[in-house]
Amino acid sequence: MVYEFVKASFWGRVIYHLSGRTMFNYEEEQEGYILPDKYRGVGEAFLEGSDPSLELSSNKSSDTSPNGLDSEKEKSIDDGYILVEFDGEDDPLDPKNWSMGYKILFIIQLQLLTAFVYMASAIYTPGIEQIQKEMGIGHVLATLPLTLFVFGYAIGPMVFSPLSEDARYGRTTIYIVTLFIFFILQIPTALVNDIASLCVLRFIAGFFASPCLATGGASFGDITRLPWMPVTISLWGIAAVCAPSLGPLIGAAMIEAKNYHWTFWFVCFSSGASLVFLSWFLPETYAKTILYRKAERLRALTGNDKIVSQGHLDNQNSSLKTLLFETLYRPFEIVLFEPVVLMINVYIGLVYSVMYLWFEAFPIVFLEIYKFTLVQTGAAYIALEIGIFVGATFFIPMTYRVFTKKLLNNQPVYPEVFIPTAIVGGVLMPVGMFIFGWTSTSSVHWIAPMIGTAIFAAGAFIIFQTLFNYLSMSFPSYLASVFAGNALFRSMMAGAFPLFGRALFVNLLTPKYPVAWGTMVLAIACVLMIAIPVLFYLNGPKLRARSKYAS
């Protein structure tokens, strides 16, 4: 199976084409392969030597084809095409049929890639003070490269998500090409000494870092059957939510050892190592791309250009107008005109923003109040990690019980099944913030604000996962647009918050409780937001019934 991973990887595909399809070739390109009758033009599509239009006139006489094909496949038959699909539910070419061990290997690779990108956004923050001194700039301007990196990976999915769903490209090619560009960009980023260049480079780097942040969930869905989807996505979520808090710890260590330039060199070396490994071992998982390539191989074997995959039909029928609508307009339409999506995006955006605001609160609390060193302050972010893992140990078994187990037993499941857990997470967040704000004082041990941070993080993780699952179950036909709009919305909010975060705490400080009142402003907002999952719990089916896009 490792051979199969390498064969389907980026370099495996390159070697396959450069060798003239003699290396890493496939079953249908090997000696002894028996071509199924349907690819010879016999059976499902049209009889060899017959006039397709005459035969298909009989199919048109009924609403359903003899083979039980849906309208899309029926149309492909009507046009005389032979549609390539997986050979049954146990086809080894289908990533959903991988063994558990190889699914775990794939999950770990995507977790590391996602975590690495989020870590790269926050690794910059411990060097802000040093950058202020060296460049002679203020705190807000020094924070701008963090904000622009987040803005970059907010905009990126609007371009790369649609590309990853084009069968000609797939997911792996997008991951590897953008990771290579991201790796190259780290070299000038580590060398520049002016804020303007740093801002531009960080924005572009964030843009090219973005594919795994929006498409990663889709990649996990490629290998997972529906009952297990929320469990698998939560594993990806752990990496996504934990990673930003690792950045300051690693960044602080780099700055203590060298200077802020070495935070970018670390990202450069790490992305380079990731690029080497993933380009050899990250296989393609997008079903349309896998079948597109199989259809191309069968075309080459038979010389029959009527052999197509669904990806061929999609590309043939798509237009620039359709692409622009799917990419640019529909995500905004769903966000602005679907109250369910808008309310969830505001809530998740607030949670995400508060997490980025910790990058401003922690230096005030642990550097200024408790007199931690830079590295010790970076280590304080581990409290977020602990809280996330605690939240995951609660959330994953619960999801299995109320979702996975019911589907496996053929019981009906509705999106509202996740909402009670979301309410629990919504309560935990302001509780943790209240503890953090009012225990961050020199007369209270430093462990107390860390406990508050962990409680907040547990609630934040639960909110993320439950509301994402609610969205995915409510809008299954428009997930790309829903999640692209969500990524843009939450990342724009989160990127802006660090710019005024320190001012929020400083302008509301009291001598004994420097961050209490600033934290309380955010905690009150989180308390008010609890009304959103409560509303969905009470009126979810009615809201979805009125929706244009919900199912």
Side-chain angles (χ1 to χ4, degrees):
M1 190 67 180
V2 172
Y3 170 81
E4 297 296 329
F5 264 42
V6 174
K7 182 168 73 173
S9 70
F10 178 82
W11 284 119
R13 294 289 302 166
V14 170
I15 293 171
Y16 168 78
H17 287 291
L18 290 179
S19 67
R21 305 189 179 194
T22 59
M23 297 181 65
F24 293 131
N25 56 14
Y26 291 79
E27 178 187 18
E28 53 270 17
E29 297 171 319
Q30 297 170 2
E31 290 186 13
Y33 175 70
I34 300 175
L35 187 70
D37 287 344
K38 67 177 182 178
Y39 298 133
R40 298 175 185 173
V42 179
E44 288 187 16
F46 54 86
L47 296 175
E48 188 171 11
S50 68
D51 182 351
S53 62
L54 294 177
E55 176 165 342
L56 292 168
S57 63
S58 62
N59 287 344
K60 293 176 183 177
S61 64
S62 63
D63 293 333
T64 306
S65 72
N67 296 319
L69 299 173
D70 59 28
S71 59
E72 189 79 30
K73 295 174 185 176
E74 183 76 23
K75 183 179 184 303
S76 71
I77 291 177
D78 287 357
D79 292 336
Y81 291 120
I82 304 173
L83 196 64
V84 177
E85 297 177 288
F86 289 121
D87 298 328
E89 292 187 0
D90 58 350
D91 188 343
L93 204 60
D94 185 352
K96 288 184 171 64
N97 294 323
W98 289 350
S99 69
M100 182 59 68
Y102 287 101
K103 286 184 179 182
I104 290 173
L105 175 60
F106 178 81
I107 287 170
I108 291 173
Q109 289 186 83
L110 257 293
Q111 279 183 317
L112 290 175
L113 180 58
T114 304
F116 168 76
V117 171
Y118 276 117
M119 181 200 68
S121 71
I123 198 171
Y124 164 85
T125 54
I128 287 177
E129 187 175 344
Q130 190 178 99
I131 288 173
Q132 286 180 248
K133 293 178 180 177
E134 286 194 13
M135 298 185 182
I137 57 178
H139 182 82
V140 173
L141 189 55
T143 307
L144 196 56
L146 168 64
T147 292
L148 290 173
F149 188 95
V150 178
F151 284 176
Y153 71 60
I155 296 170
M158 305 299 287
V159 175
F160 295 121
S161 288
L163 280 179
S164 74
E165 293 180 342
D166 187 317
R168 292 169 294 186
Y169 308 116
R171 312 214 195 276
T172 297
T173 301
I174 301 294
Y175 289 147
I176 299 304
V177 171
T178 54
L179 181 59
F180 173 75
I181 296 172
F182 177 82
F183 160 66
I184 294 298
L185 285 169
Q186 298 315 302
I187 298 173
T189 305
L191 295 173
V192 298
N193 291 294
D194 65 284
I195 192 64
S197 300
L198 188 58
C199 286
V200 171
L201 288 167
R202 287 281 286 176
F203 175 79
I204 299 172
F207 179 83
F208 284 104
S210 67
C212 64
L213 308 185
T215 311
S219 293
F220 275 63
D222 292 340
I223 68 168
T224 310
R225 301 197 184 277
L226 180 60
W228 296 97
M229 192 80 73
V231 175
T232 308
I233 295 296
S234 66
L235 297 176
W236 178 60
I238 291 173
V241 182
C242 280
S245 57
L246 280 177
L249 174 58
I250 297 172
M254 294 293 106
I255 292 165
E256 287 272 318
K258 292 287 186 177
N259 52 51
Y260 76 88
H261 293 280
W262 276 87
T263 62
F264 303 121
W265 284 122
F266 176 84
V267 173
C268 179
F269 299 147
S270 300
S271 59
S274 300
L275 178 65
V276 171
F277 185 82
L278 295 175
S279 61
W280 280 105
F281 294 103
L282 187 69
E284 181 57 60
T285 59
Y286 189 40
K288 286 188 178 181
T289 296
I290 293 171
L291 293 173
Y292 182 95
R293 292 170 179 173
K294 182 177 180 179
E296 289 292 306
R297 295 192 296 270
L298 289 169
R299 282 183 170 195
L301 179 66
T302 64
N304 185 358
D305 62 3
K306 288 292 185 179
I307 296 176
V308 297
S309 68
Q310 188 60 53
H312 286 89
L313 298 176
D314 291 344
N315 291 332
Q316 177 180 298
N317 297 327
S318 65
S319 63
L320 179 61
K321 180 180 178 181
T322 302
L323 180 62
L324 290 175
F325 176 79
E326 297 284 347
T327 305
L328 300 177
Y329 177 70
R330 180 177 284 162
F332 291 103
E333 181 189 28
I334 292 178
V335 168
L336 295 176
F337 298 108
E338 289 287 346
V340 171
V341 177
L342 180 60
M343 286 187 285
I344 288 178
N345 285 353
V346 170
Y347 200 169
I348 291 178
L350 176 65
V351 176
Y352 204 57
S353 300
V354 173
M355 292 197 72
Y356 268 79
L357 214 56
W358 289 133
F359 302 141
E360 299 299 322
F362 269 47
I364 295 173
V365 172
F366 296 105
L367 277 176
E368 298 175 21
I369 297 176
Y370 292 111
K371 308 303 180 184
F372 279 20
T373 66
L374 195 61
V375 174
Q376 287 173 332
T377 301
Y381 288 91
I382 298 299
L384 287 167
E385 311 271 339
I386 295 170
I388 290 165
F389 280 107
V390 170
T393 57
F394 168 78
F395 174 79
I396 294 175
M398 183 282 306
T399 301
Y400 174 80
R401 186 176 66 256
V402 304
F403 182 84
T404 304
K405 193 173 180 180
K406 286 185 176 182
L407 277 188
L408 292 174
N409 292 329
N410 296 317
Q411 295 177 274
V413 180
Y414 301 98
E416 287 72 31
V417 72
F418 295 106
I419 297 304
T421 312
I423 296 172
V424 173
V427 171
L428 288 175
M429 285 196 302
V431 169
M433 296 171 74
F434 182 87
I435 294 172
F436 176 83
W438 295 103
T439 60
S440 296
T441 180
S442 56
S443 61
V444 179
H445 194 275
W446 52 261
I447 196 66
M450 286 191 182
I451 292 172
T453 300
I455 293 172
F456 164 83
F461 177 80
I462 291 170
I463 284 290
F464 268 120
Q465 297 304 314
T466 51
L467 293 186
F468 274 144
N469 285 320
Y470 185 85
L471 279 177
S472 64
M473 289 189 67
S474 298
F475 301 89
S477 300
Y478 301 97
L479 275 185
S481 296
V482 169
F483 285 138
N486 178 273
L488 179 68
F489 198 97
R490 74 174 190 267
S491 297
M492 285 296 185
M493 283 183 65
F497 264 58
L499 293 177
F500 61 81
R502 186 172 181 85
L504 171 69
F505 294 116
V506 170
N507 291 335
L508 295 176
L509 70 79
T510 60
K512 189 173 183 181
Y513 299 103
V515 298
W517 289 109
T519 303
M520 285 304 295
V521 170
L522 302 171
I524 291 169
C526 288
V527 170
L528 295 175
M529 288 292 171
I530 297 174
I532 292 176
V534 172
L535 175 66
F536 292 158
Y537 184 71
L538 297 176
N539 298 288
K542 294 179 183 178
L543 290 170
R544 287 187 287 110
R546 296 174 184 172
S547 170
K548 175 182 175 181
Y549 291 105
S551 63

